[in-house]
Amino acid sequence: MSDPNLEGEDFRKARRARNIAIALGLAVFVILVYAVTIVNLGSDVIHRPL
Amino acid sequence: MAMATAPTSVRAPARWQDFLQLLKPRVMSLVVFTALTGLVCAPEHLNPVLGAVAILCIAVGAGASGALNMWYDADIDAAMRRTRGRPVPAGRVQGADALALGIVLSLLSVMLMGVGVNWFAAGLLAFTILFYAVVYTMWLKRWTAQNIVIGGLAGALPPVIGWAAATGTAPLNAWLLCAIIFMWTPPHFWALSLYTSDDYAKAGVPMMPVVKGARSTRAQILIYSLLLIPVCVAPAFTGLGGVAYLAVSGLGGLVFLLLAWRLFRSHAGEAADPRNDDGLYDVRAGARDARNLFAFSILYLALMFATLLGEHLAGLKPLELFR
């Protein structure tokens, strides 16, 4: 992704900010899947055949 | 190949804001607005959480198709003043990264829509992304002056997806919302292109004023405007819009027609005729008429959808004149 010759403080800061953005995006996606599952299945999540 | 002339080296660190810009946030906001109108106008009410997920999926899907567009059109964007600052032509984001972002977000948005809401809406969303990224971007845009007429379908589908998310179906009224945006797109974009067509000509994009000239474009704007107004008023007769909608669409339609007529009678776009050698965005007398129609077209569409949204949120009864 990044060019080693261009590595510098600005690049490290930008990469860190991008990584945080990806982490937040993934966290939001996980929460959305969880919420959709609960809404669609409701109490059936607990009362399911084992 | 589209990427042949695009810069490939990264000159500045790619910030997360650059990747956000790839998603065309302003287009996303318009898509969210029209999709929300479709979802709210649908006769069945979706769980609010699922409704929010559906709108988010449509927004992300629109953003994904924007990223795919910016990947493929980097050469065109680099040649146009309006778009040369975009992340890929400016060298802040590599084309391959824009492509990857577009593919990943397309898959995630369609899958989440299918699993969480329904697969009919997911199918429509997948079709919309493919239509914009492949049919419009890779084919129509560089090939025909009818590019924005046919390609406008991609921008017109979000209210149908919103309606389908709520009901799992797409009846006549959902397609009426689609038809309004579809018929609105040509006069809207051609009015804009009348005073930016030099930019398109230099980039080799066959926009209508570049191919057919300003006079023909003004005539086609008038024809499409005449066809647009009955489509805009139609929801008041099909049980979708109420009295307020009839007033907004009818009176706004008359203003739209008046502006389209004034534009037809003007010399707008002739300064931007590629056979002339005037500067980019040079606006001569008459081009004001093109700007007036362009600006009013945005207001007209926004007012109609906002009125529909307001009527349904307030629980106002539609007219049902022919039902």
Side-chain angles (χ1 to χ4, degrees), chain A residues 1 6 10-11 14 17-18 21 29 32-33 35-36 39-40, chain B residues 10 12-14 16 19 47 49-50 53 56 97 108 115-116:
Chain A
M1 171 69 205
L6 297 173
D10 287 347
F11 276 81
R18 288 199 307 270
F29 182 70
L32 283 175
V33 171
V36 162
V39 169
N40 277 332
Chain B
V10 176
W16 65 268
F19 287 92
N47 178 288
V49 174
L50 297 183
V53 168
L56 183 67
D97 292 338
L108 286 180
V115 171

Side-chain angles (χ1 to χ4, degrees), chain B residues 34-35 38 120-121 124 156-165 169-171 174-178:
Chain B
T34 58
F120 180 56
L124 281 172
L157 278 170
V160 184
I161 305 172
W163 195 298
T169 60
W175 291 107
L176 257 182
L177 295 177
C178 174

Side-chain angles (χ1 to χ4, degrees), chain B residues 181-271:
Chain B
I181 303 175
F182 184 78
M183 295 303 296
W184 167 89
T185 303
H188 168 75
F189 275 109
W190 285 337
L192 170 70
S193 67
L194 277 174
Y195 53 92
T196 58
S197 63
D198 273 8
D199 223 6
Y200 286 110
K202 285 173 184 168
V205 180
M207 287 298 283
M208 189 60 77
V210 177
V211 177
K212 300 286 185 184
R215 185 177 170 80
S216 171
T217 304
R218 293 197 303 268
Q220 293 194 60
I221 286 174
L222 183 61
I223 293 168
Y224 270 94
S225 301
L226 286 166
L227 296 172
L228 168 69
I229 308 312
V231 176
C232 290
V233 177
F237 298 87
T238 61
L240 185 59
V243 177
Y245 179 80
L246 180 62
V248 167
S249 60
L251 294 175
L254 289 176
V255 176
F256 197 106
L257 273 181
L258 178 67
L259 294 175
W261 174 252
R262 282 184 179 171
L263 177 58
F264 174 67
R265 298 288 303 270
S266 76
H267 296 284
E270 284 166 22

Side-chain angles (χ1 to χ4, degrees), chain B residues 12-317:
Chain B
R15 302 169 306 152
W16 65 268
Q17 292 94 331
D18 293 321
F19 287 92
L20 183 66
Q21 198 183 340
L22 288 176
L23 307 183
K24 300 188 178 180
R26 279 195 293 183
V27 175
M28 278 173 79
S29 63
L30 182 66
V31 165
V32 164
F33 179 51
T34 58
L36 182 66
T37 304
L39 192 142
V40 170
C41 288
E44 294 173 32
H45 294 291
L46 194 60
N47 178 288
V49 174
L50 297 183
V53 168
I55 295 298
L56 183 67
C57 287
I58 296 168
V60 172
S65 57
L68 293 171
N69 171 274
M70 286 205 202
W71 157 69
Y72 194 81
D73 276 351
D75 57 338
I76 290 177
D77 288 347
M80 292 175 59
R81 186 175 294 179
R82 182 174 65 86
T83 54
R84 67 175 56 146
R86 285 178 173 176
V88 179
R92 298 195 303 275
V93 173
Q94 292 188 5
D97 292 338
L99 173 64
L101 182 72
I103 291 174
V104 167
L105 291 184
S106 296
L107 292 174
L108 286 180
S109 59
V110 171
M111 293 299 289
L112 187 59
M113 180 74 100
V115 171
V117 184
N118 67 64
W119 284 102
F120 180 56
L124 281 172
L125 180 59
F127 174 80
T128 305
I129 295 170
L130 280 173
F131 193 85
Y132 184 77
V134 178
V135 177
Y136 171 71
T137 299
M138 297 183 186
W139 179 37
L140 294 171
K141 185 172 179 179
R142 296 163 190 261
W143 177 64
T144 172
Q146 298 294 326
N147 49 15
I148 57 109
V149 178
I150 309 167
L153 180 63
L157 278 170
V160 184
I161 305 172
W163 195 298
T167 65
T169 60
L172 172 69
N173 276 335
W175 291 107
L176 257 182
L177 295 177
C178 174
I180 289 170
I181 303 175
F182 184 78
M183 295 303 296
W184 167 89
T185 303
H188 168 75
F189 275 109
W190 285 337
L192 170 70
S193 67
L194 277 174
Y195 53 92
T196 58
S197 63
D198 273 8
D199 223 6
Y200 286 110
K202 285 173 184 168
V205 180
M207 287 298 283
M208 189 60 77
V210 177
V211 177
K212 300 286 185 184
R215 185 177 170 80
S216 171
T217 304
R218 293 197 303 268
Q220 293 194 60
I221 286 174
L222 183 61
I223 293 168
Y224 270 94
S225 301
L226 286 166
L227 296 172
L228 168 69
I229 308 312
V231 176
C232 290
V233 177
F237 298 87
T238 61
L240 185 59
V243 177
Y245 179 80
L246 180 62
V248 167
S249 60
L251 294 175
L254 289 176
V255 176
F256 197 106
L257 273 181
L258 178 67
L259 294 175
W261 174 252
R262 282 184 179 171
L263 177 58
F264 174 67
R265 298 288 303 270
S266 76
H267 296 284
E270 284 166 22
D273 192 311
R275 288 165 295 191
N276 298 337
D277 194 27
D278 294 306
L280 199 63
Y281 297 110
D282 185 22
V283 180
R284 283 186 174 175
R288 180 181 296 170
D289 296 301
R291 287 187 164 181
N292 286 344
L293 181 64
F294 175 74
F296 184 76
S297 67
I298 298 170
L299 180 68
Y300 184 46
L301 188 74
L303 278 177
M304 282 190 295
F305 275 75
T307 306
L308 276 179
L309 197 59
E311 282 182 340
H312 283 263
L313 286 175
L316 298 177
K317 284 191 174 182

